[in-house]
C-alpha cells in the first residue's frame, strides 16, 4: 500500500503478564526514553518486532542515516536498567514516532516466534523465529532449528586407528546432543554415547548420527556411565564430553599437543 517498511506485531511474551499494554509501557520507559527523551507517546502504537523486516533500499538508507547520527549522541552505555538498546528499539522508534504511518503490518506467519506463539511451530508459517533475547546462539535453539528445517544429521565415521576416544553421558539430552555430535562429525574420533535411560529423543538422534550408543536400563549416574564408556575404548587418549558442549578441532589439537609435551 505504498509503505516502505513492513514488520509483524509482537503480542506479548509467553509466561509474562500484561500483553500489549506492558509492551507499550516498555517502549515508553526504555526505547523512547533512551533514544528520544522528552518525546510524546505516539498516537497509535504497535510493538513491531525486528526479527523480520522488509524494506525498500531508500528507506533503509534513511533509517540507517538517522540511527547512525542518533547513536553517536546517546550515552555509550546503551541500556536502560537490564534492557539493552539495540536494533529493535531503533526500528520501533522510527516506525512509531519518527515516521509514523509508513510501516505496514505483516501477518503473523511472517514472524512466527517460539517466545510469543503458544502453538509454535504452526502450519503456514513463512518464517520460524527463534528469539534469544540477545543471548546469542544457544545449543538447544540450534538443535531445534535443525529439526524443524529437516537438515539431516551429520554422521560419525571414525577410522579404526582413531587416536582419541570421546565418551558422552546423556540423560534426556535431545535438546543439545544433536549439535554436539554435529561438531564431532568428520573429525576422525571414536565417539561412544552412554545413555542413562532417556525418555526423550536422545537415543534416536544419536543413532541417526551413527554414534555408538550404549543403553542403560536405568539412570546409573555419571561416574558409572563414564566407566562403562571408557571400558569400550582402546584409544590412546580419552575425552569426557558433556552433551551440551561443542568440541572444536582447535581444542582437540591443543589438548593432544599438551599431552604429547
Amino acid at each position: 500500500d505504498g509503505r516502505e517498511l513492513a514488520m509483524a506485531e509482537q503480542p506479548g511474551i509467553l509466561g509474562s503478564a500484561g500483553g500489549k499494554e506492558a509492551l507499550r509501557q516498555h517502549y515508553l520507559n526504555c526505547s523512547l526514553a533512551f533514544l528520544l527523551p522528552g518525546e510524546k507517546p505516539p498516537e497509535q502504537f504497535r510493538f513491531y518486532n525486528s526479527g523480520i523486516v522488509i524494506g525498500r533500499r531508500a528507506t533503509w538508507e534513511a533509517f540507517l542515516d538517522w540511527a547512525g547520527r542518533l547513536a553517536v549522541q546517546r550515552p555509550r552505555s546503551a541500556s536502560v536498567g537490564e534492557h539493552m538498546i539495540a536494533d529493535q528499539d531503533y526500528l520501533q522508534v522510527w516506525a512509531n514516532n519518527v515516521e509514523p504511518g509508513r510501516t505496514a503490518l505483516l501477518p503473523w506467519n511472517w514472524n512466527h516466534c517460539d517466545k510469543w506463539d503458544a502453538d509454535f511451530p504452526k502450519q503456514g508459517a513463512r518464517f520460524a523465529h527463534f528469539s534469544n533475547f540477545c543471548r546469542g546462539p544457544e545449543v538447544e535453539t540450534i538443535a531445534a532449528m535443525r529439526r524443524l528445517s529437516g537438515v539431516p544429521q551429520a554422521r560419525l565415521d571414525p577410522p579404526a586407528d582413531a587416536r582419541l576416544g570421546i565418551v558422552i553421558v546423556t540423560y534426556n539430552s535431545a535438546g543439545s546432543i544433536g549439535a554436539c555430535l554435529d561438531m564431532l562429525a568428520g573429525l576422525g574420533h571414536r565417539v561412544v554415547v552412554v545413555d542413562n535411560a532417556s525418555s526423550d529423543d536422545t537415543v534416536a538422534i544419536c543413532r541417526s548420527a551413527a554414534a555408538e550408543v550404549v543403553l542403560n536400563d536405568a539412570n546409573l549416574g555419571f561416574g558409572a556411565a563414564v566407566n562403562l564408556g571408557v571400558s569400550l575404548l582402546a584409544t590412546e587418549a580419552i575425552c569426557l564430553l558433556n552433551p551440551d558442549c561443542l568440541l572444536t578441532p582447535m581444542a582437540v589439537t591443543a589438548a593432544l599437543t599438551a599431552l604429547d609435551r
Side-chain angles (χ1 to χ4, degrees):
D1 298 327
R3 300 178 187 178
E4 296 107 10
L5 277 183
M7 290 182 280
E9 184 176 15
Q10 178 179 338
I13 301 175
L14 290 177
S16 64
K20 291 186 177 181
E21 178 56 29
L23 294 177
R24 179 178 176 275
Q25 291 301 320
H26 176 82
Y27 172 80
L28 298 177
N29 297 332
C30 296
S31 308
L32 190 61
F34 183 91
L35 293 174
L36 296 179
E39 184 82 3
K40 294 181 179 179
E43 294 183 6
Q44 293 183 335
F45 173 73
R46 291 190 183 277
F47 196 85
Y48 293 108
N49 186 278
S50 64
I52 303 292
V53 189
I54 300 174
R56 298 186 183 279
R57 175 186 291 270
T59 303
W60 277 117
E61 291 174 347
F63 165 74
L64 291 171
D65 179 65
W66 167 81
R69 286 185 284 105
L70 190 61
V72 298
Q73 301 170 12
R74 299 297 95 203
R76 292 182 62 85
S77 177
S79 62
V80 177
E82 297 181 353
H83 177 70
M84 181 179 74
I85 302 297
D87 60 325
Q88 167 98 343
D89 303 278
Y90 280 86
L91 281 160
Q92 291 256 9
V93 172
W94 172 270
N96 282 290
N97 271 82
V98 178
E99 295 290 344
R102 294 177 66 179
T103 299
L105 187 65
L106 292 174
W108 71 270
N109 59 0
W110 281 87
N111 194 343
H112 182 43
C113 185
D114 63 336
K115 298 299 186 297
W116 63 74
D117 290 324
D119 53 355
F120 182 92
K122 187 164 66 174
Q123 288 272 339
R126 293 174 180 265
F127 289 88
H129 177 190
F130 291 86
S131 178
N132 56 32
F133 298 115
C134 299
R135 289 193 297 266
E138 298 171 316
V139 172
E140 292 83 358
T141 299
I142 295 170
M145 292 173 72
R146 187 187 62 249
R147 288 196 300 270
L148 188 61
S149 64
V151 175
Q153 176 78 44
R155 295 177 61 83
L156 301 162
D157 297 303
D161 59 347
R163 182 185 179 192
L164 175 64
I166 299 172
V167 177
I168 306 173
V169 177
T170 54
Y171 177 71
N172 291 339
S173 306
S176 57
I177 187 62
C180 177
L181 296 178
D182 276 350
M183 291 290 289
L184 299 176
L187 298 186
H189 313 309
R190 186 177 172 194
V191 179
V192 175
V193 177
V194 183
D195 185 74
N196 273 332
S198 292
S199 58
D200 61 2
D201 294 332
T202 296
V203 174
I205 294 172
C206 294
R207 284 177 170 166
S208 69
E212 185 176 345
V213 184
V214 179
L215 300 180
N216 291 330
D217 294 331
N219 189 344
L220 304 183
F222 182 75
V226 162
N227 288 340
L228 181 56
V230 170
S231 70
L232 300 176
L233 294 171
T235 53
E236 173 192 345
I238 293 173
C239 171
L240 308 182
L241 187 67
N242 284 351
D244 58 353
C245 290
L246 304 180
L247 189 63
T248 65
M250 186 181 298
V252 173
T253 299
L256 292 177
T257 299
L259 283 176
D260 290 340
R261 292 200 193 102

